[in-house]
Amino acid sequence: MYSEAKETYARYGIDTEKVLEQIRKVPVSINCWQGDDVIGFEKNAGSLSGGIQTTGNYPGRARNAQELMRDFEFALSFIPGAKRLNLHASYLVTDKVKDRNEIEAEDYRAWTEFAKKNSLGLDFNPTCFSHPMVVNNLTLSSPHENVRDFWVEHCRRSRLVAQFMAKETGSHSLCNLWIPDGFKDTPADRLTPRLRLKESLDRIYDSELDGVIDSVESKVFGIGVESFTVGSSEFYLSYAAKHKGISLLLDNGHYHPTEAVSEKISALLCYFDWLPFHVTRSVRWDSDHVVRLDDELREIAKELVRCNALDKALIGLDFFDASINRITAWIVGTRNMKKALLMAMLEDNATMQDDQEKEDYTHLFAYSEQMKNLPWQEVWKEFLRRENIADDFSWFDDVRRYEKEELLKRG
Ligand code: RNT
Ligand code: ZN
């Protein structure tokens, strides 16, 4: 079946062997927080706040680092190609009681060891939510100096942790900042909080760090902070554009419903060296559903391939669904991202781009629909086989077995 598909693709000028070589190398950074409902391992961990929400109570949530690592490794065994792990500061592994403004590289050594063992790159995020120092939904833009200082310190230390991760793994580390800051109801002053956030960012990003790629993540609204978001799209886009070394992270759940992140990629590519992502799926709001192989996911992947931007893209995932088996969520969500990339690589983009330049929109229209008839599934299955992963649905039985033998025994 694969060799037939290979011949079919060859007739369209696509070398599936080259594509298989290429797809293997594109890393996807898998979010650790799908495994435990964004709770983390702090000694006094509270409930999730910051306007984001995990819903569902499927059994088997990872309750500690050992369980999360075991679950993650198990999920990895069904995901082909290069992988990274995306961690939050709240997933530190230490016996000590440490507040967020006290974290150190050592607190994440268990993760760098884990990453080395599993050939993973590591990405990192300061955790500016689920904490009593989030006062009235504000962190870096708070009117209270002590609140701002606390979170500036946390973010500065987070960047040092990312630097440590980069050094240990020999790969870069994306350090992405997202804060929940906003107001439930219409503010009287939108400017002052934004100026304070700008000042806090300047304190956080006062020097470039080896191996660290810094990014800022904007948002429209959160639950309980519906009327105003300090770190809006225009705010962070401008900040990143004006500050060397800062990138803008695109989370496709963070825009108005008819805005498409796929449409923004080429615009940012004109100006930025790096293009970090939180790929997610929003259903009616920023609901962080598990990524499906849907049209927008495919369009994002197509843009990256067509713009020849795979070496600039830092593809990370951001979903957390507690209503289904969490390992299944990791496997299917990550595979979908990779499938979308593979499908994009298996289109005859050269001919279609040529159509556009020659203004032959009729051929472009018909030919782009014809691309949908090509046997990408056979190439996907070949990809799995070459990675020693079963090419059928049997992985699901393995996950069910793991659920029975491991997850259901957790309290
Ligand atoms: C929230 C942001 C943020 C978080 C994670 C946990 O709306 O998307 O990226 O989801 O950092
Ligand atoms: Zn996000």
Side-chain angles (χ1 to χ4, degrees), residues 140-141 189-201 219 228-235:
L140 294 173
S141 72
D189 177 1
R190 291 178 169 89
L191 181 59
T192 304
R194 286 192 168 134
L195 289 172
R196 277 196 298 254
L197 174 55
K198 179 170 177 258
E199 200 183 277
S200 295
L201 296 179
K219 182 160 175 165
F228 173 68
T229 299
V230 184
S232 62
S233 176
E234 293 76 8
F235 177 89

Side-chain angles (χ1 to χ4, degrees), residues 11-282:
R11 287 200 292 278
Y12 288 85
I14 299 160
D15 182 343
T16 55
E17 288 298 313
K18 268 200 192 136
V19 169
L20 282 167
E21 200 39 47
Q22 197 187 10
I23 186 70
R24 198 170 62 81
K25 292 184 190 148
V26 182
V28 172
S29 190
I30 308 170
N31 53 313
C32 76
W33 52 93
Q34 165 62 68
D36 79 326
D37 311 343
V38 208
I39 291 174
F41 310 137
E42 287 164 315
K43 298 278 174 282
N44 37 17
S47 56
L48 182 61
S49 74
I52 55 178
Q53 241 167 49
T54 314
T55 52
N57 56 358
Y58 201 85
R61 183 182 84 76
R63 297 161 301 178
N64 51 51
Q66 292 72 23
E67 289 179 354
L68 190 64
M69 285 176 183
R70 201 177 313 145
D71 293 356
F72 194 77
E73 268 177 347
F74 184 67
L76 289 182
S77 68
F78 302 103
I79 301 168
K83 292 163 281 267
R84 302 175 60 87
L85 169 59
N86 199 2
L87 286 169
H88 245 285
S90 51
Y91 290 76
L92 76 179
V93 184
T94 170
D95 296 332
K96 302 189 198 107
V97 179
K98 281 210 163 178
D99 208 342
R100 302 262 174 96
N101 61 348
E102 297 168 331
I103 59 163
E104 288 167 296
E106 266 322 299
D107 304 330
Y108 301 89
R109 189 173 287 281
W111 286 116
T112 55
E113 294 307 316
F114 178 79
K116 281 190 249 179
K117 180 173 155 228
N118 289 287
S119 312
L120 303 165
L122 284 177
D123 298 308
F124 197 66
N125 306 259
T127 309
C128 303
F129 50 84
S130 307
H131 192 281
M133 281 300 266
V134 182
V135 180
N136 286 323
N137 301 315
L138 299 174
T139 63
L140 294 173
S141 72
S142 167
H144 306 293
E145 197 181 346
N146 67 319
V147 173
R148 293 199 304 279
D149 287 351
F150 179 88
W151 292 110
V152 165
E153 184 63 23
H154 174 61
C155 294
R156 289 177 62 90
R157 283 169 180 259
S158 292
R159 294 184 69 223
L160 296 174
V161 173
Q163 185 180 35
F164 167 72
M165 289 177 162
K167 194 170 146 258
E168 287 292 309
T169 59
S171 176
H172 70 271
S173 182
L174 177 71
C175 188
N176 173 60
L177 173 66
W178 171 75
I179 56 167
D181 295 34
F183 291 112
K184 181 180 171 95
D185 220 329
T186 320
D189 177 1
R190 291 178 169 89
L191 181 59
T192 304
R194 286 192 168 134
L195 289 172
R196 277 196 298 254
L197 174 55
K198 179 170 177 258
E199 200 183 277
S200 295
L201 296 179
D202 288 345
R203 291 169 66 197
I204 295 165
Y205 302 114
D206 66 345
S207 64
E208 289 189 40
L209 298 179
D210 275 352
V212 178
I213 300 174
D214 289 297
S215 67
V216 285
E217 178 183 6
S218 72
K219 182 160 175 165
V220 191
F221 80 94
I223 299 290
V225 281
E226 287 88 353
S227 300
F228 173 68
T229 299
V230 184
S232 62
S233 176
E234 293 76 8
F235 177 89
Y236 279 131
L237 175 58
S238 310
Y239 191 87
K242 283 211 163 207
H243 293 79
K244 195 174 157 278
I246 313 280
S247 306
L248 184 82
L249 181 138
L250 295 170
D251 180 314
N252 58 310
H254 290 189
Y255 296 87
H256 290 280
T258 56
E259 260 185 288
V261 153
S262 53
E263 214 284 319
K264 301 176 191 295
I265 291 170
S266 54
L268 295 175
L269 281 173
C270 298
Y271 299 98
F272 288 96
D273 294 337
W274 300 107
L275 216 52
F277 290 88
H278 271 182
V279 178
T280 187
R281 181 164 59 98
S282 47

Side-chain angles (χ1 to χ4, degrees), residues 323-371:
S323 73
I324 57 175
N325 179 298
R326 294 168 185 80
I327 294 166
T328 300
W330 265 331
I331 297 170
V332 176
T334 312
R335 281 181 171 213
N336 281 343
M337 184 71 244
K338 297 205 173 216
K339 274 185 193 167
L341 290 164
L342 179 72
M343 291 168 88
M345 291 170 185
L346 289 169
E347 293 209 344
D348 181 4
N349 295 308
T351 298
M352 292 188 285
Q353 281 165 351
D354 198 45
D355 282 344
Q356 181 181 319
E357 284 302 297
K358 290 208 260 7
E359 299 175 302
D360 188 350
Y361 303 122
T362 308
H363 185 266
L364 174 56
F365 169 69
Y367 198 64
S368 57
E369 286 302 303
Q370 175 64 16
M371 292 296 108

Side-chain angles (χ1 to χ4, degrees), residues 2 5 8-9 16 19-20 293 298 335-336 338-347 371-383:
Y2 169 67
T8 305
Y9 275 112
T16 55
V19 169
L20 282 167
L293 187 57
R298 291 195 53 198
R335 281 181 171 213
N336 281 343
K338 297 205 173 216
K339 274 185 193 167
L341 290 164
L342 179 72
M343 291 168 88
M345 291 170 185
L346 289 169
E347 293 209 344
M371 292 296 108
K372 295 178 180 170
N373 296 344
L374 302 182
W376 67 269
Q377 290 95 339
E378 296 309 326
V379 185
W380 171 256
K381 284 193 238 167
E382 182 66 13
F383 180 29

